Amino acid sequence: RARDLTKGLLSFGKPTPKRKELVKPHQLLKEISKVVTQTFPKTITFNEEIEKNLSDILGSGTEIYQILLNLCVNAKEATGSKGGIKLSAKNITIDRNNIINYPLLKEGNYVCFSVSDDGEGIDEKNLTRIFEPYFSTRTKDTGSGLGLYVTYGIVKAHNGHIEVSSKLGKGTTFDVYIPTFEVPKEK
């Protein structure tokens, strides 16, 4: 995983075609949960709400891992030394009955990953800028402003979508929608 992450960082300035693989979301979420529970301060409460039969997705497992871990690290920083983080995942089908609720997605099946925190929240004027490169509300010593920009790029490369909702003093939720792998139908 470290080799793949390093390769991804090195190719950041020089994009290359990515090899797609079948990704099992449960395995990724298990790894992330293990990292979070072992490395985050014990004063932060970590909860999971993961649907049992998550569909497979097609893409880069390393990149999906990278974006989810990045969102968890951002949530940790937003909560300070104590608070709560929730990681959830579920299957969702978007069709003509509910597409009005998801105007930026096409009809189809998705896995929706969510990372929520009960931290400081994001100011509305900053909310519209958080996916810009080099934009950060943190000091130069603690943040580069590239984490959410890279996250946005990875989600788009997977034909997915990312949404953020936040209220000052109430916390933030990031929802990441990645299309599921559909077995091609034989003609």
Side-chain angles (χ1 to χ4, degrees):
R1 176 109 29 231
R3 183 196 67 219
D4 291 344
L5 283 171
T6 304
K7 206 182 292 182
L9 288 171
L10 291 173
S11 69
F12 178 66
K14 190 170 115 184
T16 54
K18 304 270 190 290
R19 192 182 88 240
K20 294 200 177 213
E21 60 196 13
L22 200 60
V23 178
K24 304 276 186 192
H26 271 288
Q27 291 173 347
L28 286 180
L29 294 165
K30 197 165 147 184
E31 281 183 47
I32 288 170
S33 295
K34 189 175 179 183
V35 167
V36 167
T37 54
Q38 291 178 353
T39 61
F40 283 19
K42 300 299 177 216
T43 53
I44 293 177
T45 308
F46 179 72
N47 292 308
E48 296 175 289
E49 192 176 297
I50 298 168
E51 200 172 278
K52 287 202 185 303
N53 298 313
L54 288 177
S55 299
D56 295 338
I57 53 182
L58 194 63
S60 166
T62 301
E63 289 181 343
I64 300 294
Y65 177 90
Q66 179 184 351
I67 64 174
L68 293 175
L69 187 58
N70 180 47
L71 292 174
C72 287
V73 169
N74 285 355
K76 176 189 79 120
E77 290 174 359
T79 60
S81 60
K82 58 183 170 184
I85 298 172
K86 181 177 169 188
L87 175 65
S88 56
K90 63 182 178 183
N91 291 324
I92 184 168
T93 299
I94 297 174
D95 55 25
R96 60 190 174 113
N97 297 324
N98 65 354
I99 198 162
I100 190 108
N101 301 323
Y102 307 96
L104 298 173
L105 290 169
K106 297 178 182 170
E107 288 186 15
N109 297 315
Y110 295 82
V111 174
C112 176
F113 302 96
S114 296
V115 177
S116 302
D117 67 68
D118 60 5
E120 59 194 37
I122 303 169
D123 190 340
E124 198 170 325
K125 69 178 167 71
N126 290 332
L127 207 54
T128 59
R129 300 188 59 208
I130 60 171
F131 295 113
E132 292 177 9
Y134 306 112
F135 176 77
S136 179
T137 56
R138 294 188 213 116
T139 62
K140 294 289 180 209
D141 298 338
T142 58
S144 65
L146 285 174
L148 288 175
Y149 173 69
V150 170
T151 295
Y152 182 82
I154 292 171
V155 171
K156 288 301 174 192
H158 284 80
N159 299 317
H161 179 65
I162 184 168
E163 291 180 351
V164 59
S165 58
S166 184
K167 289 216 187 303
L168 275 178
K170 302 273 188 200
T172 304
T173 299
F174 283 90
D175 294 318
V176 176
Y177 299 89
I178 304 290
T180 62
F181 172 70
E182 305 291 335
V183 179
K185 293 180 175 75
E186 289 188 36
K187 293 182 180 174

